[in-house]
Amino acid sequence: MTDTAIPRLDVDIVSDVMCPWCIIGWLRFEQAMAHFAGRLAFRVRWHPFELNPDMPPEGEDAESHVMRKYGISAEQSRANSERLAGAAADLGFVFNRGPAFRMRNSFDAHRLLAWAGSCEVAEQADATGVQTALKLALFRAHFTDNRDVGDPQVLADVAASAGLDPARAATILAGDAYAEEVRAEEAYWADNNITGVPAFILGGRMLIPGAQDPEVFVRIIENKLLTAAA
């Protein structure tokens, strides 16, 4: 159980495995959580968002996808990729977006994340559990290892690396388990005006959009939540 002398802040993160700013935002928020060590406990839960819900199973070349979706040139796309890689590297995360890098369909990854979330208990002492372990493993598989996180075998392997049962993961992926839950959550967040990710909802009421710098997260938590609650 969390020490009752330390208040706890629930953190809901709406995110997609395909979103590079989502891993950058998480690593920055992690630094903000460390800032409050001993003063504030956290409980993190991840929620689904699909940047490209109509992405076909075979995926799409990432550079072509970005150029088409945002109407930019190849040079602009590469410059954006370099900027993202630099921001990630500053946080100790490797983007390995070579010429074969592809965008993937993330719906099944979200189904596994919903399952992982159901394996946790609300009273756990740690800020994160197996759901976060799976989320980070999926980010690494996609962005660092260039693995197809839309492929059921890859997903089962990634689940195993996060400490989950790969046989159970394979069974989930072979059927439609957690599909309704994911779609319902996606609809819920869309109804609550979440149109981009990452989106951090603190204490069920304070929305912080985007991959903010750690100092921004710290200032908002300090001034808008802790001071207001004092």
Side-chain angles (χ1 to χ4, degrees):
M1 296 290 289
T2 301
D3 186 346
T4 55
I6 301 176
R8 188 181 82 168
L9 180 64
D10 289 334
V11 181
D12 295 287
I13 307 174
V14 187
S15 165
D16 191 8
V17 174
M18 294 294 106
C19 168
W21 285 112
C22 287
I23 178 58
I24 291 170
W26 163 251
L27 294 171
R28 290 174 175 174
F29 187 77
E30 204 172 30
Q31 292 183 356
M33 289 196 298
H35 173 84
F36 291 99
R39 295 177 55 204
L40 184 63
F42 293 84
R43 176 70 170 89
V44 174
R45 292 179 293 257
W46 296 86
H47 304 280
F49 186 99
E50 291 178 85
L51 289 171
N52 304 291
D54 298 321
M55 181 65 67
E58 67 274 13
E60 182 181 5
D61 171 74
E63 184 171 274
S64 299
H65 170 81
V66 170
M67 290 169 59
R68 175 181 57 78
K69 185 173 182 177
Y70 299 106
I72 61 177
S73 68
E75 291 75 16
Q76 289 172 314
S77 176
R78 292 180 194 125
N80 287 342
S81 293
E82 290 174 4
R83 180 165 62 97
L84 286 165
D90 288 342
L91 296 161
F93 188 88
V94 176
F95 279 6
N96 184 25
R97 298 180 62 164
F101 184 72
R102 298 179 72 80
M103 299 298 291
R104 303 291 184 179
N105 188 296
S106 60
F107 186 74
D108 281 345
H110 286 303
R111 290 203 291 137
L112 285 191
L113 286 161
W115 165 51
S118 74
C119 296
E120 297 186 1
V121 294
E123 298 81 12
Q124 70 183 37
D126 293 336
T128 62
V130 69
Q131 189 190 42
T132 296
L134 176 60
K135 184 77 173 187
L136 299 183
L138 287 164
F139 279 133
R140 287 191 297 270
H142 177 58
F143 287 111
T144 304
D145 301 332
N146 287 335
R147 302 183 75 188
D148 180 359
V149 295
D151 179 85
Q153 183 58 60
V154 171
L155 285 171
D157 290 345
V158 174
S161 76
L164 292 157
D165 179 1
R168 175 62 180 144
T171 299
I172 290 169
L173 294 167
D176 60 0
Y178 297 97
E180 288 187 12
E181 289 90 334
V182 169
R183 292 191 179 99
E185 276 213 74
E186 289 178 334
Y188 172 82
W189 294 112
D191 288 345
N192 282 272
N193 300 314
I194 301 299
T195 58
V197 288
F200 297 79
I201 299 91
L202 308 183
R205 60 188 177 86
M206 176 78 60
L207 169 64
I208 304 178
Q212 304 293 339
D213 288 334
E215 296 78 12
V216 174
F217 287 122
V218 167
R219 184 171 66 249
I220 292 173
I221 293 170
E222 192 78 63
N223 297 338
K224 301 294 186 180
L225 296 171
L226 291 183
T227 300

